[in-house]
Amino acid sequence: MSDTSLGAEGQEVKGVFSSLQADGDWLYIKGEYKKAIESYTKALTLKPNDRSCYVGRSKCYLKLGLSENALKDAEASLKEDKTFFEGLYQKAETLYYMGEFEFALVFYHRGRKLRPQIQEFRLGIQKAQEAIEISVGSPSSVKLEIKGDLSFLQKDVEAQPITAIERLTKEKKQQTPKIPKNEKTTKQMLGAFYNDKKYLEDLLKNKELVKGKTKNGERLQDSLQGGLSYLDSCTELWNQENPIDLQGKNQNQNKPRHTAAPEPAHFLLKGLSEIEAELTSGNAEGSLKKAEEVMKTVQMWSKKEVPNKREVLGTLHSCIGNALIELGDMNKALDHHQKDLELAKQCKLPEAMSRALDNIGRVYAQTAQFTQAIEFWEKKIPLVRGGLEKTYLFHEIGWCYLELNRHEEAREYGVRSATAADEIADEKWQINSNVLVAQSELKLGNYESSVSYFEKALTHAKQQDNDSAINAIQKALDEAKQYLTQG
């Protein structure tokens, strides 16, 4: 067979695959989940490793209550790329609806690290934490069987530290008991990981919970104890590298200044986790201070010590910029995010470029410089990798056009956002995007279309039982209907 024939055959297969995938997406939106599963399954026979198809089919299984199949497909979407954030979100959602709140929390946090601008991960963290507090706080609702994968407690701590996990209840967060001297040492050595250690210890105290088993039959108590053993080992190792006495003082303080610098990977792992922990807890000043301290250390390292030094510096500029945004210092924030963008371009890192472009756009939007925000956000579009990010980005660009009274462009991006939201069946963004289109149509004098889009948004708001959204949309809908009757 000739190369030309092979090429033509390949194009034909690609066309059939795209058609089957599109059919699956459309059938999912229509609520025909079984037929959608059939389309995704046929598409996967042509392209077995397509992660978007796995995510789409997982969502269908979840809608049908087939949670085991949903989890299997979500995990398949992450097989080749553990950082595929749509797969992480789908796995977190599946675990949440299976009642595996503790494990869902971990994957929501992992997704948030990759895509901090996507609100769904933040909302996921919040609802998972609330569910944990309720289930652990009520003995009658404690699950006796844990089916999620607990291997991350032992195998994946270094690659993905459990910095996400927080204390079990708000009451416990507010308590500040006096810590024994040796415990102070442990807290100082572990830094941001200390809360993880306390969290695991608290879970072990729950006698009903520790009776649970993983899907593979491993006892939850053994997995939790394994996680604690890992952290204890880290404490011992780090104390050997940089010993601290019981008064919390570094025993190497009086040694000559030529003492070896901290090992880069360990230092950065702890530093970045602490930076994130401070910002997540609302302490932007603490996050900024820590990020600046880490940056000073990194700047002194050679390229031999840290081959990806520019990439690390870019990440730190991003951290500093985000902290400055929270502190309201937009000019300095912009400067740091622009430095992040420049370093990302130098290193040819699409993910970092996407991050920087998003943050620069965010700074401009928050300072009402909408034209500049649009400029940078539109540069980000080719770098977008998934549906969640796409619907968010299109909405934000459309909102900027609406603020500039460029209503046709606002409508165009609103429709693109709504389409992307429908593809992933995300009701929150279905509300936001339909409202944006409705507002644009109202400004353009297309009252009938405006009413239609407001009604779509209202339907989604009712499905979410979002009272504040329902009230606001209903008022806007009534206004649009008045214009329609008058017109």
Side-chain angles (χ1 to χ4, degrees):
M1 186 179 290
S2 67
D3 291 342
T4 303
S5 298
L6 287 170
E9 185 177 319
Q11 288 297 322
E12 183 179 349
V13 170
K14 184 178 180 180
V16 173
F17 168 80
S18 298
S19 177
L20 287 168
Q21 184 181 26
D23 287 345
D25 293 341
W26 175 240
L27 288 166
Y28 176 83
I29 292 169
K30 292 172 64 178
E32 298 181 30
Y33 306 120
K34 291 183 179 179
K35 290 183 179 180
I37 288 171
E38 292 177 5
S39 291
Y40 287 130
T41 302
K42 289 177 182 177
L44 284 166
T45 62
L46 298 175
K47 197 174 178 182
N49 296 323
D50 188 83
R51 57 191 189 182
S52 295
C53 273
Y54 277 119
V55 169
R57 194 170 70 174
S58 174
K59 291 193 292 186
C60 293
Y61 280 133
L62 196 59
K63 287 288 187 181
L64 293 172
L66 303 172
S67 55
E68 292 288 348
N69 289 346
L71 183 59
K72 183 178 178 180
D73 274 359
E75 290 174 340
S77 75
L78 295 165
K79 185 177 180 180
E80 294 185 355
D81 182 6
K82 300 296 184 184
T83 65
F84 178 45
F85 70 95
E86 287 193 65
L88 287 171
Y89 181 74
Q90 182 58 24
K91 184 171 183 178
E93 285 284 281
T94 303
L95 288 167
Y96 179 85
Y97 285 104
M98 291 173 73
E100 312 295 355
F101 308 124
E102 299 88 346
F103 314 126
L105 179 62
V106 172
F107 288 98
Y108 283 129
H109 267 289
R110 290 186 186 179
R112 183 173 179 272
K113 279 189 175 183
L114 292 168
R115 288 291 186 276
Q117 72 274 21
I118 296 177
Q119 298 297 318
E120 280 68 19
F121 288 120
R122 295 184 185 183
L123 293 173
I125 290 168
Q126 181 180 343
K127 69 182 182 183
Q129 286 176 335
E130 290 173 352
I132 290 170
E133 291 174 10
I134 293 170
S135 63
V136 175
S138 175
S140 62
S141 62
V142 173
K143 303 183 296 297
L144 297 182
E145 183 181 5
I146 304 298
K147 299 179 182 178
D149 179 12
L150 279 171
S151 60
F152 68 87
L153 283 173
Q154 296 167 312
K155 300 176 184 177
D156 206 25
V157 177
E158 184 174 358
Q160 293 285 353
I162 319 171
T163 57
I165 303 177
E166 298 182 0
R167 301 299 295 275
L168 294 178
T169 62
K170 293 179 181 178
E171 290 76 15
K172 288 182 181 178
K173 287 181 181 178
Q174 293 170 353
Q175 292 174 0
T176 54
K178 186 175 181 180
I179 303 173
K181 289 183 178 180
N182 60 338
E183 190 72 1
K184 286 183 180 179
T185 302
T186 301
K187 185 174 184 180
Q188 188 169 347
M189 291 306 303
L190 285 176
F193 300 151
Y194 181 77
N195 280 347
D196 304 338
K197 180 177 183 291
K198 299 302 295 181
Y199 178 85
L200 296 176
E201 289 174 344
D202 285 336
L203 285 181
L204 277 173
K205 293 175 184 177
N206 191 311
K207 295 181 180 179
E208 293 297 322
L209 186 64
V210 297
K211 293 178 182 178
K213 293 184 178 181
T214 69
K215 188 177 180 180
N216 297 324
E218 182 182 4
R219 293 195 310 163
L220 177 58
Q221 182 176 5
D222 294 338
S223 298
L224 293 172
Q225 192 60 57
L228 280 171
S229 297
Y230 177 87
L231 293 175
D232 289 339
S233 298
C234 288
T235 305
E236 182 178 353
L237 173 63
W238 296 341
N239 196 30
Q240 288 173 1
E241 292 177 353
N242 197 23
I244 295 175
D245 65 19
L246 292 182
Q247 281 70 43
K249 296 179 181 179
N250 190 327
Q251 292 179 358
N252 286 331
Q253 281 179 342
N254 298 323
K255 290 187 178 182
R257 291 180 177 238
H258 61 267
T259 301
E263 192 274 318
H266 162 233
F267 175 80
L268 288 172
L269 179 64
K270 286 191 68 179
L272 291 172
S273 295
E274 289 169 2
I275 291 165
E276 182 197 8
E278 293 287 4
L279 192 62
T280 303
S281 67
N283 184 10
E285 289 183 358
S287 179
L288 176 61
K289 182 180 179 181
K290 183 64 183 177
E292 289 174 338
E293 290 173 356
V294 174
M295 178 172 281
K296 286 180 181 178
T297 301
V298 173
Q299 286 171 335
M300 292 187 293
W301 286 339
S302 66
K303 287 186 178 179
K304 184 177 180 181
E305 291 175 298
V306 186
N308 63 334
K309 180 176 177 179
R310 287 187 296 177
E311 181 181 350
V312 173
L313 288 173
T315 300
L316 290 168
H317 277 299
S318 179
C319 292
I320 292 172
N322 288 335
L324 288 167
I325 289 175
E326 295 299 317
L327 293 171
D329 195 339
M330 295 302 185
N331 289 331
K332 287 185 179 179
L334 182 61
D335 181 57
H336 281 282
H337 287 308
Q338 286 173 335
K339 288 177 180 176
D340 179 28
L341 179 60
E342 182 59 34
L343 288 166
K345 288 179 178 178
Q346 291 175 15
C347 299
K348 297 180 180 180
L349 298 169
E351 289 286 323
M353 287 174 61
S354 179
R355 173 188 69 205
L357 288 168
D358 186 76
N359 285 324
I360 292 171
R362 189 156 59 102
V363 171
Y364 279 128
Q366 290 189 22
T367 54
Q369 299 178 73
F370 302 115
T371 301
Q372 292 90 330
I374 291 169
E375 177 188 349
F376 283 91
W377 274 337
E378 287 186 333
K379 289 179 182 177
K380 176 182 167 72
I381 293 174
L383 301 173
V384 171
R385 294 180 60 183
L388 270 173
E389 190 174 15
K390 186 160 56 176
T391 188
Y392 154 80
L393 182 62
F394 289 157
H395 178 274
E396 297 303 286
I397 295 173
W399 169 71
C400 286
Y401 275 123
L402 190 66
E403 291 293 321
L404 292 170
N405 293 319
R406 295 173 60 176
H407 304 126
E408 290 184 358
E409 290 96 333
R411 176 181 60 189
E412 177 190 345
Y413 274 103
V415 169
R416 293 173 73 179
S417 177
T419 301
D422 287 341
E423 288 174 356
I424 59 175
D426 189 294
E427 288 188 335
K428 178 194 170 184
W429 285 106
Q430 285 171 326
I431 295 171
N432 293 337
S433 58
N434 279 295
V435 167
L436 174 60
V437 179
Q439 290 174 315
S440 303
E441 293 285 39
L442 189 64
K443 294 290 185 180
L444 289 167
N446 301 326
Y447 304 127
E448 186 173 352
S449 178
S450 177
V451 167
S452 175
Y453 278 101
F454 274 130
E455 286 176 341
K456 287 182 183 178
L458 185 61
T459 298
H460 290 301
K462 288 179 178 179
Q463 289 173 346
Q464 282 202 318
D465 292 325
N466 189 331
D467 292 335
S468 60
I470 291 170
N471 293 334
I473 295 169
Q474 186 63 61
K475 290 180 181 178
L477 176 60
D478 292 341
E479 181 182 348
K481 285 181 176 179
Q482 287 181 359
Y483 281 112
L484 181 61
T485 55
Q486 291 172 3

